[in-house]
Amino acid sequence: SLPAKLINGGIAGLIGVTCVFPIDLAKTRLQNQQNGQRMYSSLSDCLIKTIRSEGYFGMYRGAAVNLTLVTPEKAIKLAANDFFRHHLSKDGKKLTLLKEMLAGCGAGTCQVIVTTPMEMLKIQLQDAGRIEAQKKLMAAQAQLSSSPAAAAAAAEPAVERRPTATQITRELLRSKGIAGLYKGLGATLLRDVPFSIVYFPLFANLNKLGQKDPNVKAPFYVSFLSGCVAGSTAAVAVNPCDVIKTRLQSLQRGVNEDTYSGILDCTKKIWQREGPTAFFKGAYCRALVIAPLFGIAQVVYFVGIAEFLLDLLPKRRA
């Protein structure tokens, strides 16, 4: 049933995000840093420096936004894919690869309603620590090269309060209206639609390999491995689009970092100033995030946690 699908999708998203959020934070920071302003050299370096400067919970900055909105996002994505697959199938016949891709395209298009504002807010919170660290580093360098009087003045920098998701939302709505929360919508579509086109058909076909009978669900470990393989493959394939989306949705920039007017401008500047390899920044982080996230999501979704929970509820007597 649709309610069960939505519950399954929501539970899957909550479990998955909680497990992999620190890696997602590292991915955002690695993608946003530009040449000449590198704060982190790798995933482990980013996580270690984050813990040292911001504490353990610094790795979960922006998690509240994700945990709040990932339920409707994953629910829409998984339920929409099932909806389109159902309506594209004829008399229960097996879907062709093209129709599977069309169903994935529909699911990816539907989810951006929630994904775009969620990513917009999450990126601001995740990247705030990187910008703070960069400012502190620049201040320290200035102290070393300045006069004793200037060094003393810079020794006590003004304390900046970290913005909250609520404050960012209010400011965006006040200054730009609802469109402010949907900045980077085109780039989000550019990432999520191809992702779903690759992911859903690949998962469905890998999962079928583990089914001994077409009418019996595959074992949970098959669904998990299928979700991991399909998710990591699709994640790496669309990573260039994810880099562009992350850069466009970042409202604050570090010192001497480029700003972008749109998708084409962003693509051109990254290619010219950082080289083609910059489009794969954070690719392995994204694969590490998406693989378990979608593996867990598909296990929860296919095993049917919602049905299990609903069965535990006392049934009404007729």
Side-chain angles (χ1 to χ4, degrees), residues 155-309:
E156 297 181 1
V159 177
E160 295 183 12
R161 295 188 64 184
R162 294 174 180 176
T164 64
T166 304
Q167 289 171 341
I168 296 170
T169 302
R170 286 175 179 170
E171 178 59 28
L172 286 171
L173 290 174
R174 185 189 64 79
S175 60
K176 299 181 181 180
I178 193 68
L181 290 173
Y182 280 87
K183 183 181 179 182
L185 175 62
T188 306
L189 280 168
L190 194 64
R191 181 197 67 172
D192 288 348
V193 172
F195 178 92
S196 296
I197 288 173
V198 174
Y199 172 77
F200 282 110
L202 184 56
F203 169 78
N205 286 283
L206 288 174
N207 198 54
K208 283 177 185 175
L209 296 176
Q211 290 180 277
K212 296 180 179 179
D213 187 307
N215 298 317
V216 179
K217 289 181 179 179
F220 77 93
Y221 62 86
V222 172
S223 293
F224 176 76
L225 291 174
S226 299
C228 288
V229 173
S232 57
T233 302
V236 173
V238 303
N239 196 74
C241 301
D242 189 55
V243 172
I244 294 168
K245 183 199 73 67
T246 300
R247 296 279 183 96
L248 288 175
Q249 288 189 319
S250 297
L251 298 177
Q252 291 188 341
R253 303 286 178 192
V255 180
N256 299 325
E257 289 185 344
D258 290 327
T259 56
Y260 312 102
S261 59
I263 295 173
L264 292 178
D265 180 55
C266 183
T267 304
K268 182 180 177 181
K269 286 181 178 176
I270 293 174
W271 183 277
Q272 291 178 342
R273 300 176 188 181
E274 301 175 59
T277 56
F279 290 105
F280 287 93
K281 283 183 176 180
Y284 65 97
C285 294
R286 184 162 162 76
L288 288 175
V289 169
I290 296 297
L293 179 61
F294 277 82
I296 293 167
Q298 292 295 178
V299 168
V300 174
Y301 193 68
F302 271 76
V303 168
I305 298 297
E307 288 87 342
F308 174 73
L309 293 174

Side-chain angles (χ1 to χ4, degrees), residues 67-95:
L67 291 172
T68 302
L69 297 179
V70 75
T71 299
E73 186 223 18
K74 285 290 179 287
I76 290 171
K77 187 186 189 83
L78 295 171
N81 182 64
D82 274 2
F83 173 82
F84 288 116
R85 288 178 69 90
H86 173 73
H87 284 277
L88 287 169
S89 64
K90 293 182 179 180
D91 302 323
K93 292 181 180 180
K94 182 182 177 181
L95 286 175

Side-chain angles (χ1 to χ4, degrees), residues 314-318:
K315 295 181 179 180
R316 293 180 181 178
R317 294 182 179 179

Side-chain angles (χ1 to χ4, degrees), residues 22-27 29-30 33 38-53 59 282 284-285 288:
I23 305 174
D24 186 62
L25 178 137
K27 181 219 69 152
R29 293 187 177 184
L30 288 170
Q33 63 180 9
R38 291 171 62 85
M39 294 294 302
Y40 316 106
S41 59
S42 64
L43 166 63
S44 58
D45 182 54
C46 180
L47 293 178
I48 290 169
K49 287 180 178 176
T50 299
I51 293 172
R52 285 176 179 172
S53 62
M59 295 191 299
Y284 65 97
C285 294
L288 288 175

